[in-house]
DNA sequence: TTATGCTAAAGCGG
DNA sequence: CCGCTTTAGCATAA
């Protein structure tokens, strides 16, 4: 429960026009170019369509129900710099009589076994063990084989990446200039009823509104074939829960409840997330010690929590971008210091501990963020003034 | 299944 | 800064 830092502290902070302008310029630089989007979208969509509609897929007992559910940064409109990474969830649904029951296997509420409650369809026998549990890894393996087979009928511009043992994704590389495009295909089983562990999350009535939250809880959630990080702990095949569908809807409809006229004041929730992703990437490449474990999902989750604390569009005015971003950084630092970043949907699920992130890495990132914040984000600066030439309080001088 | 209309975001010109 | 056009993605209807 003691998740959030104390409220105000920086509410009184006044925007600094120079810093605000500099952040906005950086944010503009992160935008995707329309020509890049067109190129990439055409190629990606073509491949996905091929995979879904090909004969081997359509004749497979399990995969024939596959439908595209585009998720992740690109489709949430927060991808930065170039459209070079796509996340596509391929969802599988079961006939109504084939009820599947998720059972949580640990305290976190992140991992589940999935068992057929009623009859087991004979065509699916190879994916089900003696107790009726669905075998995540064998389904994933067959899916990979299927994709491989379909790609082999193509012109060779698309290749299959090497398998990564803990990843639930089958990753494709599409050749493209100036840069290859990588596409994560994530096979996901659709579950109609949210597990009990998820029923207490998403406490954000003031931001999204009770009605909207209830609508979300009536939507399905998904199970993906991701192993727990200590692989041998559970002998059964396990699944990890995913709310990518809800996350996407929130990101694309993130204004405060009942606000239908949000056009007038542009909010900076998305720009803040883009800047944070950019900053994390830059820190990773700047030699900052062991912070490579942090992923954009941590940044996104932090943003969702902060939006809950600051629910009003008024709290996110574009003209206050610097204040909002500083607030974001400080909340994120608080999560790092407490080693406590909870999954937005499942409060029992601490992202840091589930992903086995060392406390030391959190401390390192805390310090790196502190340094960036107090020096007005030197890593955002356009280009290097060759080393040494510019000692550290760099640009944006002349305020305060 | 396909066609059509809407929206958010990029791009551009004032 | 503001308004206009274009585009991809998506929802809805036919």
């Amino acid at each position: 429960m003691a998740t959030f830092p104390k409220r105000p502290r920086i509410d009184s902070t006044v925007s600094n026009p120079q810093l605000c302008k500099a952040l906005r310029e950086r944010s503009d630089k992160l935008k995707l170019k329309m020509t890049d989007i067109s190129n990439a979208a055409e190629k990606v969509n073509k491949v996905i369509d091929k995979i879904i509609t090909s004969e081997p897929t359509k004749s497979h007992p399990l995969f024939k129900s596959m439908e595209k559910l585009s998720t992740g940064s690109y489709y949430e409109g927060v991808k930065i710099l170039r459209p070079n990474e796509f996340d596509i969830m391929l969802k599988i649904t079961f006939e109504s009589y084939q009820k599947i029951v998720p059972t949580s296997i640990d305290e976190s509420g992140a991992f589940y076994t999935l068992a057929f409650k009623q009859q087991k369809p004979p065509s699916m026998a190879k994916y089900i063990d003696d107790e009726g549990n669905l075998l995540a890894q064998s389904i994933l393996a067959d899916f990979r084989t299927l994709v491989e087979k379909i790609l082999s009928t193509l012109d060779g511009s698309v290749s299959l990446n090497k398998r990564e043992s803990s990843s639930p994704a089958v990753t494709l590389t599409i050749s493209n200039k100036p840069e290859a495009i990588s596409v994560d295909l994530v096979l996901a089983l659709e579950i109609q009823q949210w597990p009990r562990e998820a029923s207490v999350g998403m406490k954000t009535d003031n931001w999204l509104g009770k009605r909207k939250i209830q609508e979300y809880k009536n939507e399905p959630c998904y199970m993906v074939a991701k192993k727990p990080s200590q692989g041998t702990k559970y002998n059964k095949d396990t699944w990890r829960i995913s709310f990518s569908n809800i996350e996407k809807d929130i990101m694309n409809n993130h204004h405060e409840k009942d606000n239908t006229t949000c056009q007038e004041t542009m909010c900076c929730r998305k720009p803040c997330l883009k800047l944070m992703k950019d900053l994390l990437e830059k820190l990773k490449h700047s030699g900052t010690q062991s912070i490579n474990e942090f992923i954009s999902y941590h940044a996104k989750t932090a943003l969702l929590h902060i939006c809950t604390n600051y629910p009003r569009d008024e709290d996110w005015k574009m003209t206050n971008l610097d204040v909002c971003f500083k607030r974001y950084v400080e909340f994120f630092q608080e999560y790092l210091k407490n080693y406590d970043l909870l999954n937005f949907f499942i409060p029992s699920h601490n992202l840091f501990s589930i992903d086995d992130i060392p406390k030391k890495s959190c401390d390192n990132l805390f310090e790196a963020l502190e340094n960036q914040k107090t020096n007005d984000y030197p890593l955002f600066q356009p280009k290097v003034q060759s080393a040494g030439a510019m000692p550290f309080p760099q640009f944006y001088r002349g305020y305060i």
Side-chain angles (χ1 to χ4, degrees):
Chain A
M1 265 289 124
T3 332
F4 305 112
K6 306 237 159 28
R7 195 55 119 82
R9 185 167 49 170
I10 54 160
D11 277 15
S12 57
T13 304
V14 178
S15 173
N16 160 14
Q18 272 122 322
L19 180 57
C20 192
K21 183 159 173 282
L23 290 179
R24 202 191 284 224
E25 280 167 10
R26 182 61 204 163
S27 168
D28 282 342
K29 288 226 172 63
L30 299 175
K31 285 185 188 169
L32 308 185
K33 306 276 171 296
M34 207 147 227
T35 49
D36 294 345
I37 292 175
S38 292
N39 275 330
E42 189 190 346
K43 293 189 176 183
V44 171
N45 291 340
K46 205 174 273 181
V47 174
I48 300 300
D49 190 64
K50 189 77 189 175
I51 290 173
I52 292 179
T53 59
S54 283
E55 193 279 328
T57 303
K58 284 296 167 198
S59 58
H60 189 281
L62 186 53
F63 301 140
K64 66 180 176 193
S65 70
M66 216 159 64
E67 285 178 59
K68 168 172 133 169
L69 203 172
S70 38
T71 58
S73 292
Y74 175 82
Y75 297 98
E76 290 170 353
V78 291
K79 183 73 181 75
I80 58 173
L81 298 169
R82 298 169 306 279
N84 58 347
E85 292 170 351
F86 289 74
D87 298 310
I88 311 280
M89 204 176 237
L90 295 171
K91 59 171 186 166
I92 289 173
T93 47
F94 292 85
E95 307 293 329
S96 57
Y97 69 89
Q98 300 166 359
K99 255 219 130 111
I100 293 188
V101 179
T103 306
S104 177
I105 58 163
D106 68 348
E107 292 306 308
S108 73
F111 295 103
Y112 295 83
T113 55
L114 298 177
F116 275 95
K117 196 177 186 180
Q118 295 153 29
Q119 61 227 90
K120 308 162 195 169
S123 62
M124 232 97 66
K126 63 181 292 200
Y127 303 123
I128 301 172
D129 72 9
D130 298 341
E131 296 155 42
N133 293 305
L134 270 169
L135 301 172
Q137 295 310 316
S138 93
I139 292 175
L140 191 55
D142 278 12
F143 174 62
R144 189 180 169 83
T145 306
L146 175 75
V147 172
E148 199 163 21
K149 184 173 177 182
I150 293 169
L151 292 190
S152 72
T153 69
L154 267 43
D155 64 0
S157 63
V158 188
S159 63
L160 194 57
N161 289 19
K162 213 173 86 222
R163 174 168 154 60
E164 289 176 56
S165 64
S166 69
S167 169
V170 170
T171 304
L172 312 178
T173 298
I174 304 178
S175 62
N176 184 53
K177 47 182 196 284
E179 186 184 17
I181 299 166
S182 107
V183 182
D184 271 1
L185 303 176
V186 179
L187 197 65
L189 301 193
E190 189 170 277
I191 301 294
Q192 277 308 322
Q193 182 75 34
W194 289 23
R196 187 172 35 79
E197 288 76 5
S199 61
V200 287
M202 218 172 28
K203 285 204 185 92
T204 184
D205 291 357
N206 290 335
W207 172 30
L208 301 169
K210 274 198 166 70
R211 200 192 67 241
K212 190 78 189 179
I213 289 170
Q214 192 51 54
E215 279 173 26
Y216 283 147
K217 291 189 173 180
N218 293 334
E219 291 291 313
C221 64
Y222 295 89
M223 293 287 176
V224 304
K226 181 163 172 71
K227 290 179 178 171
S229 44
Q230 314 95 323
T232 53
K233 197 168 164 190
Y234 308 102
N235 52 6
K236 277 198 180 49
D237 271 35
T238 58
W239 300 78
R240 182 156 166 180
I241 197 163
S242 164
F243 297 94
S244 295
N245 53 331
I246 313 293
E247 289 162 13
K248 178 180 169 183
D249 197 85
I250 293 176
M251 293 304 290
N252 288 327
N253 301 281
H254 57 256
H255 289 276
E256 71 184 280
K257 58 178 173 178
D258 305 326
N259 185 354
T260 48
T261 57
C262 50
Q263 301 285 28
E264 47 205 66
T265 41
M266 239 264 269
C267 96
C268 67
R269 292 175 179 94
K270 282 186 181 185
C272 278
L273 178 53
K274 291 184 186 180
L275 288 174
M276 183 64 84
K277 288 167 60 154
D278 187 39
L279 189 56
L280 289 177
E281 279 309 305
K282 285 184 173 302
L283 283 171
K284 283 181 189 176
H285 294 120
S286 74
T288 306
Q289 291 264 304
S290 57
I291 60 156
N292 289 328
E293 303 91 338
F294 293 98
I295 53 171
S296 60
Y297 193 71
H298 297 134
K300 180 163 97 174
T301 298
L303 182 72
L304 293 174
H305 286 306
I306 299 161
C307 285
T308 297
N309 270 29
Y310 288 82
R312 293 152 48 229
D313 292 342
E314 190 72 10
D315 298 324
W316 298 92
K317 293 207 301 210
M318 196 60 175
T319 48
N320 285 335
L321 178 59
D322 58 325
V323 175
C324 297
F325 188 63
K326 184 180 178 191
R327 184 174 64 206
Y328 186 5
V329 170
E330 293 188 344
F331 267 80
F332 199 8
Q333 286 183 292
E334 202 70 20
Y335 303 140
L336 292 164
K337 193 165 77 189
N338 299 333
Y339 197 76
D340 189 24
L341 176 60
L342 306 185
N343 181 295
F344 188 62
F345 304 90
I346 307 183
S348 53
H349 170 179
N350 180 345
L351 296 183
F352 293 151
S353 59
I354 279 284
D355 293 330
D356 275 339
I357 296 185
K359 177 66 167 76
K360 181 65 184 157
S361 299
C362 289
D363 296 341
N364 290 339
L365 182 54
F366 181 99
E367 286 307 325
L369 289 175
E370 185 67 21
N371 180 44
Q372 289 298 311
K373 185 184 72 183
T374 53
N375 294 298
D376 293 342
Y377 318 104
L379 283 176
F380 282 153
Q381 260 132 71
K383 253 293 176 190
V384 228
Q385 331 301 316
S386 62
M390 186 65 81
F392 96 63
Q394 281 120 334
F395 288 47
Y396 324 135
R397 302 291 287 170
Y399 57 91
I400 301 191

